[in-house]
């Protein structure tokens, strides 16, 4: 690896004569050969990574797909009418959809903290790639619905590296439908370097495409009022809608959280696509969607788990691994928000750490108790500040997509 890894931002990526880009995409041992992706697990030495961009993360549309996705944490905010009147405005293009806008302060601080992550990774000699920034917020329309674009901030949500292959998953939130286009300049260069590149089928995402059994099975009031679903002539039943952050990679084995029929279809697609190459292990409703703030492997034989109940739900082979349980997070490690701010994650979001290697972990500097816990277990920690993780629904694992690690297709679970 070059001693001064380049940071790319999506500009001029077709011009490989630009010296500032060559260190990012070329194999430095063979300068005429493009790199291809190689990432089989969550802990092998990290060589290259994509860090998301928060540019123009200006607002969130509180429509059906968004509400279903964040139901576990934000249901009450979707229901109580004072929220919409006080701090959500109605979108001009769709008067029925409230839009939650962020303050300039929160956006500036988010950008500062993401750039701090980039700097820390660069200092750790990791090559950092960046998505094309979203230069303006755009309204778009499909034949079935309309939404407003979002930047590629949580880049692990809709893309996954499985060995030497880029997998684009099927979006669960309508506003994120074209988000991966901001990653395509990077994906094309890895493709030219020999990487495989596949995408799940694109869902139509009509209202009836969504399996609401996860939320409707809970004892909460007014489910139908909050999550009303209209019929369409284009309805085809449940569709594949699945995020890669529902998966954790263990060499030849991949752990997958399934909470809806949409997720089940995504798992079936993965099993058929990778048949004979990888083994998939289904866990049922470990939580609503993503699992990387509930369980993370830190190295072979060692897991970071939210609490002991999680251990009972994972495959028996993983129950044999050693476990680190974090200290309980307290409210004083988070910024104080008004009651009508839209908080989208639990207080366990800081478990969303990023491993640089088997002994080094990037962790939120605002959770010193977790830092001390990891250090007591022999880890070197890289503290990086991340203030508004509960508003923007992502930690360091979410904000990154590890495209090149040193590991291979090892068998850790047999």
């Amino acid at each position: 690896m070059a001693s001064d890894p380049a940071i790319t931002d999506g500009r001029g990526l077709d011009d490989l004569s630009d010296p500032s880009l060559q260190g990012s995409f070329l194999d430095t041992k063979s300068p005429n050969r493009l790199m291809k992706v190689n990432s089989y697990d969550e802990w092998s030495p990290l060589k290259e990574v994509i860090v998301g961009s928060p540019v123009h993360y200006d607002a969130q549309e509180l429509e059906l797909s968004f509400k279903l996705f964040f139901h576990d944490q934000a249901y009450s905010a979707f229901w109580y009418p004072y929220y919409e009147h006080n701090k959500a405005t109605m979108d001009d293009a769709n008067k029925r959809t409230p839009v939650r806008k962020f303050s300039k302060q929160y956006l500036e601080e988010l950008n500062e903290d993401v750039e701090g992550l980039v700097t820390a990774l660069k200092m750790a000699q990791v090559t950092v790639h960046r998505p094309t920034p979203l230069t303006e917020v755009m309204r778009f329309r499909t034949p079935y619905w309309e939404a407003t674009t979002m930047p590629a901030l949580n880049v692990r949500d809709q893309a996954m590296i499985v060995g030497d292959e880029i997998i684009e998953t099927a979006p669960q939130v309508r506003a994120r439908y074209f988000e991966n286009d901001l990653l395509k300049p990077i994906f094309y260069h890895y493709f030219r370097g020999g990487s495989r590149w596949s995408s799940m089928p694109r869902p139509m995402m009509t209202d009836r495409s969504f399996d609401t059994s996860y939320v409707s099975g809970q004892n909460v009031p007014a489910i139908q009022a909050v999550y009303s679903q209209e019929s369409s002539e284009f309805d085809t039943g449940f569709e594949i809608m699945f995020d890669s952050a529902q998966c954790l990679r263990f060499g030849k084995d991949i752990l997958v959280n399934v909470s809806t029929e949409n997720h089940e279809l995504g798992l079936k697609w993965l099993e058929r696509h990778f048949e004979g190459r990888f083994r998939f292990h289904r866990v049922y409703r470990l939580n609503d969607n993503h699992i990387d703030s509930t369980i993370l492997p830190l190295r072979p034989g060692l897991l970071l788990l939210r609490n002991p109940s999680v251990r009972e739900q994972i495959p028996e082979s993983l129950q044999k691994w050693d476990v680190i349980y974090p200290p309980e997070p307290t409210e004083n490690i988070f910024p104080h928000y008004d009651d009508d701010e839209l908080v989208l994650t639990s207080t366990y979001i800081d478990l969303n750490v990023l491993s640089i290697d088997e002994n080094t972990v990037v962790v939120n500097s605002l959770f010193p108790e977790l830092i001390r816990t990891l250090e007591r277990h022999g880890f070197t920690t890289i503290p990086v500040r991340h203030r508004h993780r509960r508003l923007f629904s992502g930690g360091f694992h979410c904000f990154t997509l590890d495209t090149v690690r040193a590991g291979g297709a090892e068998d850790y679970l047999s």
Side-chain angles (χ1 to χ4, degrees), residues 109-125:
E109 291 175 348
L110 172 65
N111 187 71
E112 290 172 2
D113 292 349
V114 172
E115 293 309 310
L117 173 62
V118 169
T119 299
L121 290 168
K122 186 177 179 182
M123 291 180 65
Q125 300 300 302

Side-chain angles (χ1 to χ4, degrees), residues 47-210:
K47 304 299 182 181
E48 300 193 15
V49 69
I50 302 172
V51 176
S53 168
V55 176
H56 277 304
Y57 199 144
D58 296 343
Q60 296 162 333
E61 287 186 273
L62 310 188
E63 49 75 47
L64 175 66
S65 68
F66 184 91
K67 291 177 179 180
L68 287 171
F69 189 84
F70 290 107
H71 167 86
D72 268 6
Q73 186 61 32
Y75 170 78
S76 61
F78 300 149
W79 171 241
Y80 293 120
Y82 78 81
Y83 175 81
E84 295 183 3
H85 295 320
N86 285 358
K87 292 219 173 172
T89 60
M90 304 308 283
D91 183 4
D92 290 338
N94 185 349
K95 294 297 184 182
R96 296 175 302 168
T97 304
V99 177
R100 178 68 173 88
K101 295 186 177 181
F102 291 110
S103 72
K104 182 180 179 182
Q105 175 190 343
Y106 292 160
L107 294 170
E108 289 176 347
E109 291 175 348
L110 172 65
N111 187 71
E112 290 172 2
D113 292 349
V114 172
E115 293 309 310
L117 173 62
V118 169
T119 299
L121 290 168
K122 186 177 179 182
M123 291 180 65
Q125 300 300 302
V126 177
T127 298
V128 177
H129 307 292
R130 306 300 301 278
T132 303
L134 188 65
T135 55
E136 62 177 311
V137 176
M138 293 171 280
R139 190 75 183 170
F140 67 90
R141 181 191 298 269
T142 78
Y144 324 109
W145 44 265
E146 56 187 275
T148 302
T149 52
M150 292 180 65
L153 174 60
N154 290 296
V155 291
R156 193 177 297 268
D157 290 0
Q158 297 185 164
M160 174 169 56
I161 309 302
V162 183
D164 66 350
E165 185 165 358
I166 301 163
I167 296 294
E168 292 189 69
T169 57
Q172 298 193 71
V173 176
R174 288 166 173 163
R176 306 185 71 179
Y177 202 79
F178 294 107
E179 183 179 311
N180 274 15
D181 288 358
L182 301 171
L183 297 171
K184 283 185 177 175
I186 302 171
F187 289 169
Y188 267 111
H189 274 273
Y190 282 124
F191 178 74
R192 290 170 185 144
S195 303
R196 309 172 196 245
W197 184 5
S198 302
S199 298
M200 289 182 174
R202 304 296 288 175
M204 291 185 290
M205 303 184 83
T206 64
D207 285 3
R208 296 289 178 179
S209 297
F210 295 86

Side-chain angles (χ1 to χ4, degrees), residues 209-394:
S209 297
F210 295 86
D211 173 20
T212 62
S213 62
Y214 180 86
V215 299
S216 61
Q218 300 181 23
N219 185 25
V220 292
I223 284 288
Q224 293 304 317
V226 177
Y227 304 121
S228 60
Q229 293 176 286
E230 298 181 5
S231 297
S232 165
E233 61 183 302
F234 301 105
D235 290 339
T236 189
F238 298 142
E239 295 186 275
I240 298 175
M241 287 184 275
F242 182 93
D243 278 5
S244 62
Q246 294 170 228
C247 302
L248 291 171
R249 300 160 303 152
F250 296 78
K252 291 182 178 180
D253 297 272
I254 299 176
L255 188 68
V256 182
N257 182 51
V258 172
S259 297
T260 68
E261 287 299 319
N262 306 115
H263 301 163
E264 188 69 42
L265 291 170
L267 172 57
K268 289 178 180 177
W269 187 92
L270 288 169
E271 288 174 331
R272 293 172 190 175
H273 183 77
F274 287 108
E275 186 175 4
R277 289 189 282 162
F278 293 89
R279 300 178 299 226
F280 292 86
H281 304 265
R282 179 182 181 274
V283 291
Y284 183 63
R285 294 188 175 178
L286 191 59
N287 50 32
D288 53 350
N289 288 287
H290 300 174
I291 57 174
D292 51 352
S293 294
T294 303
I295 172 175
L296 267 178
L298 299 178
R299 58 179 173 235
L302 182 61
L303 299 171
L304 178 64
L305 293 186
R306 178 181 294 190
N307 53 51
S309 66
V310 175
R311 194 170 195 166
E312 300 170 2
Q313 298 175 261
I314 59 179
E316 185 176 347
S317 54
L318 282 176
Q319 293 181 26
K320 300 175 183 177
W321 285 29
D322 293 334
V323 172
I324 295 175
Y325 294 115
E328 282 293 314
T330 56
E331 291 292 338
N332 64 355
I333 68 172
F334 301 102
H336 173 74
Y337 299 119
D338 294 338
D339 290 341
D340 49 6
E341 296 285 0
L342 186 54
V343 173
L344 296 176
T345 76
S346 76
T347 56
Y348 293 97
I349 183 62
D350 289 329
L351 275 61
N352 194 262
V353 300
L354 176 68
S355 291
I356 302 296
D357 55 41
E358 294 185 9
N359 301 301
T360 309
V361 181
V362 179
V363 61
N364 196 342
S365 63
L366 301 179
F367 195 0
E369 294 84 1
L370 178 59
I371 291 174
R372 289 192 289 270
T373 297
L374 292 170
E375 289 177 345
R376 283 198 300 269
H377 286 82
F379 285 92
T380 298
T381 60
I382 301 177
V384 177
R385 183 180 61 185
H386 184 14
R387 284 165 283 190
H388 301 299
R389 60 275 203 202
R390 299 193 73 192
L391 295 185
F392 294 95
S393 185

